[in-house]
């Protein structure tokens, strides 16, 4: 199987997702979603650094034979070597969270999405902090 760098469409998608998160953070009136958006943005940046600095491939560090077989079939993943850059950010956890192995960036994105959904559900009808202050005065 020929390994190919991740498509430029991925870069556009990551950039668009980054812009959407920033816009949501800026225009979020209640500021309740800010922590979850920050987690998502940091996760995106972590993954982008690992991919962009390694020639468009996500390096993987694993010793699990099942994962090695699975990753060797993926066109956008490579195995980590001594020349791999940003080693702490590469896929190194054998948890099938997204695509077989997961990175710190993947965990941050998933945590941010869970936090965002949770905050949206549980703060749905609550008044904004400004309205709370007006009621107290």
């Amino acid at each position: 199987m020929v390994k190919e760098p991740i498509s430029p469409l991925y870069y556009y998608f990551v950039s668009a997702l980054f812009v959407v998160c920033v816009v949501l953070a800026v225009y979020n009136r209640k500021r309740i979603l800010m922590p979850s958006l920050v987690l998502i943005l940091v996760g995106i940046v972590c993954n982008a650094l690992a991919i962009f600095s390694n020639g468009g491939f996500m390096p993987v560090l694993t010793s699990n034979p099942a994962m090695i077989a699975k990753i060797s079939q993926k066109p956008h993943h490579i195995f980590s070597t001594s020349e791999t850059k940003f080693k702490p950010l590469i896929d190194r956890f054998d948890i099938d969270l997204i695509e077989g192995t997961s990175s710190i960036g993947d965990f941050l994105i998933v945590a941010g999405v869970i936090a965002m959904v949770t905050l949206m559900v549980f703060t749905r009808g609550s008044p904004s902090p400004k309205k709370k202050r007006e009621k107290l005065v």
Side-chain angles (χ1 to χ4, degrees), residues 3-132:
K3 299 280 186 176
E4 297 178 14
I6 293 177
S7 164
L9 291 177
Y10 175 79
Y11 301 128
Y12 299 136
F13 173 74
V14 167
S15 300
L17 187 59
F18 186 81
V19 169
V20 166
C21 287
V22 169
V23 168
L24 282 174
V26 169
Y27 289 105
N28 179 16
R29 293 180 183 241
K30 292 183 182 180
R31 301 282 184 231
I32 288 176
L33 299 179
M34 189 64 80
S36 57
L37 291 171
V38 169
L39 282 174
I40 294 170
L41 286 173
V42 171
I44 290 170
V45 169
C46 287
N47 284 344
L49 274 172
I51 293 168
F52 297 159
S53 65
N54 290 293
F57 297 99
M58 177 56 105
V60 178
L61 179 64
T62 185
S63 58
N64 183 345
M67 287 296 177
I68 290 172
K70 195 174 190 181
I71 288 159
S72 61
Q73 300 299 317
K74 294 182 181 242
H76 307 301
H77 288 78
I78 56 173
F79 292 103
S80 178
T81 65
S82 60
E83 297 174 6
T84 300
K85 298 173 183 87
F86 290 100
K87 280 192 178 185
L89 303 179
I90 67 173
D91 282 354
R92 59 177 52 241
F93 304 105
D94 289 340
I95 299 172
D96 201 353
L97 192 64
I98 295 175
E99 287 189 341
T101 57
S102 299
S103 64
I104 291 172
D106 296 337
F107 287 118
L108 291 172
I109 292 169
V110 169
V113 169
I114 290 170
M116 181 183 291
V117 170
T118 303
L119 289 170
M120 290 170 71
V121 167
F122 290 113
T123 61
R124 190 162 194 198
S126 64
S128 66
K130 186 177 181 182
K131 289 183 181 179
K132 282 183 181 178

